[in-house]
Amino acid sequence: MPFFIIAGAINAAIAVGFGAFGAHALKDRLSEHYLAIWETAVQYQMFHAIALLAIGILMSSTLLGPSTQLSWAGYLILAGIIIFSGSLYVLSLSGIGILGAITPIGGVAFIAGWIMLIIAAVKFGR
């Protein structure tokens, strides 16, 4: 599905830009603690951007094809990027600790997305 390929590519580009921004513009402005949080957000965004690309490719009719489970996987992973990485970016820049309580919601979305990908693969294999 082109949507997930486009979403993955956009998120990968953002992750590269934010990684460079953190390494250059923020390295002297954030404490080591908050810079490490920023880097975690970048890493998880990139990992899951690649997952979105893979889901989009798997939705090709020559591979697994479009399926409800793959769509759910893509949307959950996209939500996870927004909630997990987004909350960590804002936490790093603002220092508002309560945002750390939102981050696990994004982590659960990531896990649910990966589980939906597993289910799609199992259903295809039957």
Side-chain angles (χ1 to χ4, degrees), residues 25-68:
L26 297 179
K27 71 176 180 178
D28 295 329
R29 296 178 185 206
L30 295 181
S31 69
E32 284 187 35
H33 173 72
Y34 286 118
L35 196 55
I37 291 172
W38 183 273
E39 290 170 358
T40 297
V42 169
Q43 288 175 351
Y44 274 75
Q45 184 171 3
M46 182 57 82
F47 296 152
H48 290 88
I50 295 167
L52 289 174
L53 292 169
I55 289 166
I57 292 166
L58 288 170
M59 291 183 93
S60 165
S61 59
T62 58
L63 295 173
L64 299 185
S67 75
T68 302

Side-chain angles (χ1 to χ4, degrees), residues 7 12 14-15 18-19 24 33 38 43 50 57 67-68 72 75 89-90 94 99-100 103 116 118-119 123:
I14 291 169
F18 280 16
H24 300 289
H33 173 72
W38 183 273
Q43 288 175 351
I50 295 167
I57 292 166
S67 75
T68 302
W72 271 103
Y75 289 121
Y89 290 133
V90 175
S94 70
L99 291 170
T103 307
M116 293 307 295
I118 293 165
I119 291 169
K123 284 184 84 172

